[in-house]
Amino acid sequence: MKFSRVGAFFIVLASCGLADANVTLPRIFSEGAVLQRDAVIPIWAHADPGENVTVSLNKQKVTVISDSNGKWSIRLKPEKAGGPFELTVRASNTVTLKDILIGEVWLCSGQSNMEWTVGQSTNAAQEIASSSNPSIRHLKVSKTISGLPQDEIGGGVWKRSEPRNTGEFSGVGYFFAKEIQHKLGVPVGLINASWGGTNIETWISREGFESSDEFREMINGMPKTDLDALSKGRVIALEKKVASVQGLAVGAVDPEALKKVGFDDARLQELIVPGLWESQSLGEMDGVVWLRKTIDLTRGQISRNASLELAKIDDNDVTYINGVEIGKTNQWDARRRYEVPAGVLNEGTNVIAVKVVDTGGGGGIYGDASDLKLVLGNEQISLAGKWKFMVESVLTATGVNDLPSPAYTGMVSPLINYAFRGVIWYQGESNAGRAYQYRKAFPLLINDWRTKTGKPKLPFYFVQLATFKTDGDSNRGSAWAELREAQTLTLSVPFTGMAVTTDVGNPKDIHPTNKQTVGARLAKLALNRTYKHPMLDTGPSYRSMKIVGKVIIVTFDNVAAGLATSDGSEIVKGVEIAGSDQRFFPATGKVVGNTIVVSSPDVAAPVAVRFGWIGDASANNLFNKEGFPAVPFRTDDWKTLTTAEKYRLVVPK
């Protein structure tokens, strides 16, 4: 879920090469590129104003005259799959791109689970070692934000699938491409425009928001301006907010003092650790925050070998005990474990101080509470709970999630004219708190991109949120379950498909490493629906229910050869049932033909059923016999936890 602002993105100006007036092609056209087969191929760039520009590819040659600003574009006729070819552009200079393939091109976008690489996936070493396939290519679009639509990506080049490159490819994208390439026997190109931690609103264009009754008022309050001007006002506003929360001005306490035992931290406020501070009193803020924990130790305890475990820290940390630096890590998703040198621990009071540098997205110490501890020989002292905090500084740049549209304008707008077959999308974690509004935002994004590309039937296949342990359930409300429901409802948008992944998630890790199954399920959607290779591509989905006395009979679509359970039992797990009091109880579900019969001794007069209505839905065991998991569902329309939560624009003055 992470993005990094420092050194990882560009606020771009259009790069058009007008200083030397030579022909310059956008970075999306680099050697090794894959162009879309069986479709018109747009090519565009800059040259001298009024200059003749000739473009050659395979047996085609087209000449155009650049306009008064030096811009030009041509549309080559559709080509069959093949290559490698040379793409040549001739004007006052000549640009020749070699190793150009014609095949299937897919745009991969979303947040961290799309950005997650092959190198971070299950069996990474084996996958990378066997990855040599020149027919699969990947381009990672540099992380770029902009207040105004850009014509050029901030960076990125096409790379072949081979051991030295593939580890950096999108895992979901690569395993999707492997399936497509194997089945179709044509080159496959992946354009990876993803960014961890991003919300959906950053990926929607201004014009998209303006077309929406839900978001029009919001976007009308957003000035059309550069981001630097907004950043200055944002810093002032954030510093005022932080000061009100912590009761002290930003940077009011000397960081050197925060490291030491003798500092009186009674006036500092507290955060719960582990836990990202965005969900606590500090709220949305990127910057440098000190976290401080005091513990008492005996003489016997400090005589043992010691190590400090701090779960994960988003993004970077420098960690001290009693003023002595014991370790630092610059990786937001790495578990921290630092050896404590002999003589550092004191008999009596000890202070652990962690300098956390959050460059964007979530910030703080996060993960499983059991991974937060001081280990003294065979003894473990939990460090979970309340920690004192102090904000040293806030970042000065506007972030990718701070305003609507900056990722779209910086990363997607430059790709809109490039021919690609469709989109695969993995995002939603960052919108769980506004899950109900996602019912409007997600279809809006799909239709926005279709409008921008001029392709109303552009295939759009997406991944439903995987299993992950979050707060809430059917009785308290579950934002994660509600986001899954919003994704399911988006299937009403034509030419879409959803891969269900409740069975391949990790309750303790928001980034499950099994990207192979995810990519394969997306590929089946594309093969069946886009490429017309008939196959089952989804699992059982709720159709209807019937109340018969004390039981509810639930009927499904997409049962194919029949319903089954993954553990071979007759009992369906993950089912709940409620009466008119809207209180849910665990229920027994039995597979009977293509239905499940649901009941509970705690509910005499049932009226509603829910299945998998929780963040950690790993207990779900209902599948069809072809091995696709059932889609989580509810039969009621009762009020949800996130109904009133809306995306709100806050523009600094």
Side-chain angles (χ1 to χ4, degrees):
M1 293 179 67
K2 173 50 54 181
F3 60 89
S4 177
R5 182 179 299 125
V6 179
F9 76 77
F10 305 88
I11 297 177
V12 290
L13 299 175
S15 174
C16 49
L18 294 180
D20 56 16
N22 286 331
V23 168
T24 57
L25 287 169
R27 294 186 182 95
I28 190 69
F29 299 106
S30 68
E31 290 198 350
V34 182
L35 304 177
Q36 179 60 48
R37 68 167 176 164
D38 300 333
V40 169
I41 303 174
I43 308 288
W44 67 95
H46 288 80
D48 284 329
E51 186 171 15
N52 288 329
V53 180
T54 300
V55 179
S56 303
L57 175 69
N58 197 9
K59 299 178 182 179
Q60 297 192 60
K61 182 180 291 187
V62 178
T63 299
V64 67
I65 300 176
S66 60
D67 66 17
S68 59
N69 294 314
K71 292 184 177 182
W72 59 267
S73 64
I74 58 96
R75 291 164 63 85
L76 296 176
K77 294 178 181 179
E79 293 273 355
K80 296 297 181 182
F85 301 114
E86 289 188 355
L87 175 65
T88 303
V89 181
R90 291 185 176 88
S92 56
N93 65 308
T94 298
V95 176
T96 299
L97 302 180
K98 299 180 179 180
D99 193 27
I100 303 298
L101 301 182
I102 311 294
E104 291 298 309
V105 182
W106 286 81
L107 174 60
C108 315
S109 192
Q111 59 182 108
S112 55
N113 274 308
M114 181 61 78
E115 190 175 12
W116 203 255
T117 65
V118 174
Q120 295 169 301
S121 301
T122 302
N123 298 326
Q126 180 180 341
E127 296 286 2
I128 292 169
S130 61
S131 66
S132 293
N133 186 342
S135 291
I136 295 177
R137 310 284 174 90
H138 178 278
L139 181 145
K140 180 67 167 77
V141 176
S142 293
K143 294 175 179 177
T144 307
I145 63 172
S146 174
L148 301 172
Q150 298 300 309
D151 297 325
E152 171 69 296
I153 59 175
V157 295
W158 286 94
K159 295 183 179 181
R160 291 184 176 196
S161 178
E162 53 191 39
R164 64 176 178 172
N165 297 327
T166 310
E168 301 173 1
F169 289 10
S170 160
V172 169
Y174 172 71
F175 296 118
F176 168 85
K178 277 187 69 175
E179 295 283 335
I180 297 295
Q181 202 279 322
H182 174 73
K183 187 69 175 181
L184 302 183
V186 302
V188 177
L190 303 170
I191 303 173
N192 179 9
S194 56
W195 195 331
T198 49
N199 60 38
I200 198 170
E201 290 84 4
T202 193
W203 295 103
I204 300 172
S205 76
R206 184 185 187 97
E207 293 77 17
F209 286 124
E210 289 173 342
S211 71
S212 167
D213 293 339
E214 179 76 16
F215 294 99
R216 186 178 300 112
E217 182 178 354
M218 177 277 296
I219 200 64
N220 286 342
M222 174 66 187
K224 297 180 180 179
T225 185
D226 67 274
L227 297 182
D228 286 341
L230 292 173
S231 292
K232 294 176 182 178
R234 179 175 178 270
V235 169
I236 295 172
L238 272 176
E239 289 180 340
K240 289 181 179 178
K241 172 192 168 186
V242 169
S244 68
V245 170
Q246 66 181 14
L248 294 166
V250 172
V253 178
D254 181 2
E256 289 300 317
L258 290 167
K259 305 174 188 176
K260 298 178 180 178
V261 174
F263 174 71
D264 182 5
D265 61 10
R267 58 180 175 162
L268 299 187
Q269 301 302 308
E270 295 175 327
L271 292 172
I272 300 299
V273 177
L276 298 177
W277 60 60
E278 279 79 3
S279 61
Q280 302 184 59
S281 60
L282 198 51
E284 294 288 340
M285 191 217 71
D286 307 322
V288 179
V289 178
W290 285 84
L291 296 171
R292 180 180 160 97
K293 182 78 168 179
T294 301
I295 59 172
D296 290 325
L297 300 174
T298 67
R299 179 180 299 179
Q301 287 174 317
I302 68 172
S303 66
R304 306 168 191 161
N305 291 331
S307 62
L308 179 65
E309 298 185 23
L310 295 175
K312 301 177 183 180
I313 299 179
D314 201 342
D315 291 274
N316 311 321
D317 75 288
V318 184
T319 297
Y320 303 84
I321 295 182
N322 299 331
V324 177
E325 181 182 325
I326 64 164
K328 58 185 176 181
T329 304
N330 294 326
Q331 185 177 343
W332 67 274
D333 60 343
R335 287 180 58 178
R336 270 60 168 181
R337 185 183 184 280
Y338 301 132
E339 298 295 331
V340 181
V344 170
L345 296 175
N346 300 325
E347 180 182 359
T349 303
N350 293 265
V351 169
I352 301 168
V354 183
K355 178 183 179 181
V356 180
V357 181
D358 174 34
T359 61
I365 301 174
Y366 73 103
D368 197 302
S370 64
D371 293 330
L372 193 70
K373 57 197 173 187
L374 179 64
V375 181
L376 302 168
N378 295 324
E379 182 183 3
Q380 297 183 357
I381 299 175
S382 174
L383 300 175
K386 296 178 180 179
W387 287 53
K388 300 283 188 174
F389 77 91
M390 178 68 199
V391 178
E392 177 183 330
S393 62
V394 300
L395 285 182
T396 58
T398 298
V400 70
N401 285 333
D402 295 334
L403 299 167
S405 306
Y408 173 84
T409 52
M411 297 174 67
V412 178
S413 179
L415 308 173
I416 285 299
N417 291 326
Y418 197 85
F420 51 89
R421 178 67 70 190
V423 178
I424 55 174
W425 174 264
Y426 197 159
Q427 189 274 340
E429 296 91 338
S430 292
N431 278 84
R434 298 192 301 277
Y436 194 82
Q437 194 179 38
Y438 203 81
R439 299 178 179 199
K440 298 288 183 68
F442 193 18
L444 177 61
L445 178 139
I446 295 170
N447 290 321
D448 180 35
W449 289 16
R450 287 174 173 174
T451 298
K452 291 292 188 179
T453 59
K455 298 176 180 178
K457 298 181 180 181
L458 182 74
F460 203 106
Y461 304 126
F462 55 92
V463 183
Q464 191 180 48
L465 291 189
T467 281
F468 181 59
K469 186 174 178 57
T470 59
D471 291 334
D473 53 31
S474 284
N475 291 316
R476 292 178 292 153
S478 171
W480 207 262
E482 291 171 22
L483 198 286
R484 288 199 190 107
E485 180 180 52
Q487 292 172 314
T488 302
L489 292 171
T490 301
L491 292 172
S492 64
V493 178
F495 310 106
T496 60
M498 181 176 73
V500 178
T501 60
T502 48
D503 60 323
V504 292
N506 183 340
K508 294 185 178 182
D509 194 340
I510 203 168
H511 303 113
T513 59
N514 181 356
K515 301 307 186 194
Q516 289 89 336
T517 300
V518 180
R521 287 179 182 168
L522 287 170
K524 285 180 171 59
L525 289 166
L527 289 167
N528 183 41
R529 305 184 187 199
T530 298
Y531 298 114
K532 308 306 179 186
H533 287 251
M535 64 180 68
L536 188 70
D537 62 12
T538 190
S541 57
Y542 170 74
R543 179 198 293 174
S544 63
M545 74 166 196
K546 180 180 180 181
I547 301 172
V548 182
K550 295 183 178 182
V551 306
I552 295 180
I553 301 173
V554 181
T555 303
F556 295 86
D557 291 321
N558 304 313
V559 296
L563 295 177
T565 58
S566 56
D567 55 9
S569 70
E570 294 182 355
I571 304 302
V572 176
K573 299 174 183 177
V575 185
E576 301 169 285
I577 199 166
S580 58
D581 62 356
Q582 302 187 11
R583 185 182 178 192
F584 281 89
F585 292 87
T588 298
K590 293 185 178 180
V591 175
V592 179
N594 290 334
T595 70
I596 61 171
V597 179
V598 185
S599 63
S600 170
D602 297 308
V603 183
V607 299
V609 173
R610 291 186 178 182
F611 171 70
W613 199 263
I614 195 168
D616 178 7
S618 55
N620 292 10
N621 67 342
L622 183 62
F623 286 67
N624 54 30
K625 291 181 178 179
E626 285 74 10
F628 290 94
V631 181
F633 68 89
R634 62 175 177 146
T635 65
D636 62 273
D637 61 356
W638 298 332
K639 184 178 179 180
T640 60
L641 182 69
T642 64
T643 302
E645 299 301 319
K646 303 289 185 180
Y647 178 79
R648 292 178 173 86
L649 174 65
V650 180
V651 179
K653 303 299 183 183

